[in-house]
Amino acid sequence: SSGINAEWPLRPGEEFFSQVGKVRDVRIISDRNSRRCKGIAYIEFFEEESVAPALKLSGTKIMGIPIQVQHTQAEKNRAAMLANLAKEQGPTRLYVGQLHCNITEQMLRAIFEPFGYIDTLQLMIDPETNRSRGYGFVQYREADSARRSKEQLNGFELAGKPIKVGEVTEKMDHSMNNMGSQLDDEDTDRGGIEMNANARVQLMAKLASGNPGPRSKKAAAPEPVNETDLGQKVREMFGGAATGNQHPPSECFVLRNMFDPHTETDPYWSEEIRSDVIGECGSFGGVVHIHIDKRDPNGCVYLKATSTTVATACVNSLQGRWFSGKMIKASYMSNSEYGRKFEGTEYLREVLDR
């Protein structure tokens, strides 16, 4: 939206647009020098259906000034870019079939996310039973991520069933609604086998070992693995295991391969990375400092978390992930080294907001 008063605060903006749908984020664009609002803001909703009624708010006066509400040009450009990318480099959307009925969307994301940035992920749910229909769709940002994911995960045995991973082409788009019958199998139609505690343990063990073969009946029961470790286990299986750090765990760490300074063209690229990283770390407790070295050929982002525990969770989550076509490398820095590089950070306590 544009035409916003320079004094328009963030909270009323969220409240104003909440009348048409739940707001995920409000970003008001400010002048880099004066820090005053440029009269432009970006509104992100949780549901796509909220966009149409939001557009009808165009012309409404806020603080005496009529605002203009329209689709972001960035979204149009990104859609066009993804379409061109799919034609030039290959499909970015995959279907995933023959899933166990107890596999959740969170678990599916943890399994596919290590291969690259995911734009959207949808696990199809039966509205009558509220259970998985046994298939879903994964939309990657990069075609190379989709290719790697398909090569590594097609036929991968998950909860005792080899899953199907394939490309969604333009010819298949018109029949999306009927694809469930193509991807489902007999077990899924019957509701599958309940995943009891022992079956869940076996699922985690398979992810940890990467062995798709049948388990020996004489083998001892493996130790349970927390579901939040799924993504890390998959990264370890496919070459994304954390490498030894020069420093022991601390509050400070650095992420490499986050960007390429020679290829970044968007004037706000660093702000987008800052927002993404702070948002990701916020789910574990947050960070108190971030620095993006815009000229670093290694694409370094330096961070200080609220505690060593939070930093460890962030490193474990981000290490081995794919971001903009590159695998993130996360490593710790000593607090003293970080303090010398960024003076005054040892006194920071306030958690950063994206």
Side-chain angles (χ1 to χ4, degrees), residues 198 201-202 205 215-224:
N198 184 56
V201 166
Q202 292 185 19
R215 302 183 59 82
S216 171
K217 294 182 179 179
K218 296 181 180 179
E223 290 295 322

Side-chain angles (χ1 to χ4, degrees), residues 33 35 64 70 75 89 110 143 145 166 182 202-203 280 289:
N33 297 319
R35 307 308 299 172
Q70 60 188 37
E75 188 68 22
Q89 301 183 11
S145 301
Q182 301 172 24
Q202 292 185 19
L203 164 61
E280 181 67 28
H289 180 260

Side-chain angles (χ1 to χ4, degrees), residues 299-311:
C300 289
V301 177
Y302 298 86
L303 300 113
K304 181 174 183 180
T306 54
S307 68
T308 300
T309 301
V310 171

Side-chain angles (χ1 to χ4, degrees), residues 3 14 21 44 64 67 71-72 76 87 113 125 136 151 184 211-212 232 284 314 320-321 325-326 336 339 341:
E14 180 178 346
E44 180 181 0
I67 63 170
H71 285 287
T72 63
K76 295 179 181 178
K87 293 180 180 178
E113 199 166 42
I125 303 296
E151 290 176 354
D184 268 350
N211 178 18
Q232 182 66 16
F284 301 106
C314 293
R321 279 197 188 183
K326 293 184 177 181
S336 57
K341 190 173 184 66

Side-chain angles (χ1 to χ4, degrees), residues 1-2 16-21 23 41-45 47-61 66-73 75-76:
S1 61
S2 59
F16 175 77
F17 283 97
S18 292
Q19 62 183 295
V20 296
V23 176
Y42 292 96
I43 315 297
E44 180 181 0
F45 292 99
E47 302 293 339
E48 186 176 350
E49 292 75 12
S50 303
V51 175
L55 294 173
K56 296 180 180 179
L57 296 176
S58 187
T60 304
K61 289 187 177 181
I67 63 170
Q68 297 179 7
V69 184
Q70 60 188 37
H71 285 287
T72 63
Q73 194 65 36
E75 188 68 22
K76 295 179 181 178

